[in-house]
Amino acid sequence: MNIIQKLQKAILLEKQSEIEYFENLINQKSLQERVNSGISFYPIQLEEEKIGTSNQWILEFQSESFLNPKAKLQNGQVVSIFTLQELPRKEQKSFKAVILSFYKNTIKVMPYSSELPDWIEGGKLGLDLYFDETSYFLMEKALENLKQKGNPYFEKIKKIAFDKEEIHFSQAYEMQIPNLNTSQKEAVIKVMTSKELAIVHGPPGTGKTTTLTEAIYYLAKNQNKILVCAASNTATDLLAQKVSQKGLKVIRLGHPARMEPEVWKLTLDSVCEQQPYFSQIQELRKRAIQLKDEALKFKRNYNFQDKLERKETLKEVRELQNEALELEKNIVKNVLKEAQVICCTLTGSDNEYLNKTVFDVLVIDEAAQALEPACWIAIPKAKKLVLAGDHHQLPPTVKSVEAEKMGLSITLFERLIEKYPQASVMLNTQYRANEIIMKFSSEIFYKNDLYADESVKNFSLSIDEPIITFIDTAGCGFSEIQNPETLSFYNPEEANILISYIKKLSEKYPNASIGMISPYKQQVKLLEELVLQENTLKNYKIDTIDGFQGEEKDIIAISLVRSNEEGEIGFLKDTRRMNVAITRARKKLIVIGDSATIANHPFYEKLLEFWSHYADYQTAWTYL
């Protein structure tokens, strides 16, 4: 079985795993149970319907059920609007939509379809959270396309990815790039001179985004049209903003509900609104809404004349909507033609407006966190590929154990950086942490090639404060507990000691930012509850390791949780996650855990050895 076949099978397994999870949530519980657990909402009341940009409806609903503290609502979430009305058997009783915003008891959604069902006006409405298969459909399609012959550029990249192909570089040249260090300049030059593939390897705090922004700027100045993608909306938004600040014409494609508010001015909708003739589109849509309102007046009258008038009016509504849509399509084509850089997520690159465009360069950020099939959605659209990321930090999330065994968690970035080291430049100067904090990561993950810049080398809270503190709970009897519902672990005694330590530290250094991290959601929840009880901490964040990716704090405190006689460490086996956790700290790192439990793993054996030399080693007995 070749790589493509394995990926195809793995994606199907992963999709099935997600579908089963959602189906269990929805089907194994009654509507009331689902409402109580915050995955369904009933009854909901339609308050307003209007036509927004892109000829799409925006619906506003109100419900007391939206106030449920267990509600799992978020912007960009796919939902299903359903009715409990008695309908003819063939009529659809639900439709999909995306959450635009929610506040207190009000939620706004944008339906996928421009045609709304008649029952939307009739009451007995509810809302379910919904599993969105779109990304899986696109990944499956992308893998199938790999078997087809494409343009010569695509064929070349396929050979590079799946065979051992020679890659080429044009003559290197000297570039004056102010404010970049030597390795950052090397990375920009590598991106500029590569003909097929370049890889920017950015360890924590090394300025990967800054380097990538400069590379995109110089590519654009050389008349290249660039597609910039990332696995997440957050990373896509950040690059769109940074590149725009360099003065380039940037368009951010995607659903507005999934973007940061600051990026709105770069969206296709926002830029189109500034174009000539857009006012005509607004007038056409305004007239369409007025006519639709008139048509709905006849909704419950049943004489022939009323039905005829309603039919004719709705026909005119559709004609006005179509005219507005055609005008909008022409404006969109012109805007995208003038853009130097187009930014979107990997799945968002499957866009009708991009289907016939061949970009000079595709840049994929967060490539070490992206599933390989997702990368192949965007790759056929470009002549040259640039990957940026760090395969020693968080890997992509894979829920299916079988899919992981088949290699779904191995990324394209990881495969190509190993196969083509000549295409890669590692950024080797970090601007985040004291050199002692980053020293262990440099030794274990980056072959001792990562250095602290002079500006941060001696970062500390004070001369007297140790840079690293390890609080060892071995022998204290602080056994882990597993939540029977969530199956997540927590350790109350460990949490109490950590909060007590952090409280004293924050009193001593009130201006320092604080981050508390645990690999386990149940421990994160417990830490949050303890902090709220204390009600004294300011300027802090508590989250899982995944939630801290890309962030940094003056003080980072990590609760390892696991404490058992068997030496079972679960999530902690993923050493890349621990690399992320310990590299969030700038001036002080605190770790609390059971050395007897973690020492059986070779990685933690080395870490404990490192801490024995460089950390303020304490036993939890002193806190009892």
Side-chain angles (χ1 to χ4, degrees), residues 301-309:
N301 295 326
Y302 295 97
N303 66 64
F304 178 77
Q305 187 59 35
D306 285 344
K307 285 184 178 179
L308 194 61
E309 285 188 41

Side-chain angles (χ1 to χ4, degrees), residues 5 55 105 130 208 227 327 408 465:
Q5 290 171 326
N55 207 28
N105 69 334
Y130 191 84
K208 172 176 66 68
L227 178 63
L327 262 177
L408 190 57
E465 187 64 45

Side-chain angles (χ1 to χ4, degrees), residues 52 96 132 210 282 285 298 307 357 383 484 493 520 523 550:
K96 286 198 290 184
D132 185 11
T210 300
Q282 290 177 309
R285 286 185 173 146
F298 303 106
K307 285 184 178 179
T357 307
K383 300 175 183 178
E493 292 92 348
Y520 293 94
Q523 186 76 343

Side-chain angles (χ1 to χ4, degrees), residues 263-417:
V263 185
W264 171 249
K265 65 180 180 181
L266 303 176
T267 62
L268 193 56
D269 286 345
S270 177
V271 175
C272 286
E273 284 174 8
Q274 313 304 318
Q275 305 303 308
Y277 308 115
F278 188 80
S279 57
Q280 282 182 242
I281 297 172
Q282 290 177 309
E283 286 300 319
L284 288 167
R285 286 185 173 146
K286 187 177 177 181
R287 177 63 181 151
I289 292 171
Q290 289 169 346
L291 285 175
K292 182 175 182 290
D293 289 342
E294 287 176 25
L296 292 176
K297 289 176 186 176
F298 303 106
K299 192 169 180 62
R300 292 179 180 85
N301 295 326
Y302 295 97
N303 66 64
F304 178 77
Q305 187 59 35
D306 285 344
K307 285 184 178 179
L308 194 61
E309 285 188 41
R310 180 171 181 252
K311 185 178 179 182
E312 287 301 313
T313 306
L314 288 176
K315 181 184 176 185
E316 191 177 346
V317 168
R318 283 191 290 273
E319 286 172 355
L320 288 168
Q321 288 175 341
N322 289 334
E323 189 179 344
L325 193 58
E326 283 305 309
L327 262 177
E328 187 177 60
K329 281 182 178 177
N330 288 330
I331 290 175
V332 166
K333 284 177 184 175
N334 289 332
V335 166
L336 292 178
K337 189 177 179 181
E338 290 177 11
Q340 295 167 287
V341 181
I342 293 175
C343 300
C344 57
T345 59
L346 288 164
T347 52
S349 67
D350 186 75
N351 185 294
E352 61 176 313
Y353 294 116
L354 303 185
N355 284 345
K356 293 180 180 177
T357 307
V358 178
F359 291 85
D360 296 299
V361 187
L362 166 64
V363 176
I364 303 180
D365 193 16
E366 279 191 341
Q369 275 187 276
L371 293 172
E372 177 165 346
C375 294
W376 289 108
I377 299 170
I379 290 172
K381 301 179 188 301
K383 300 175 183 178
K384 180 167 95 173
L385 177 63
V386 177
L387 301 175
D390 180 13
H391 52 307
H392 298 306
Q393 294 189 63
L394 290 180
T397 302
V398 176
K399 292 185 174 71
S400 166
V401 176
E402 288 302 312
E404 186 159 19
K405 284 179 183 175
M406 298 198 75
L408 190 57
S409 60
I410 299 170
T411 62
L412 183 65
F413 182 97
E414 201 171 346
R415 290 203 303 108
L416 296 190
I417 198 170

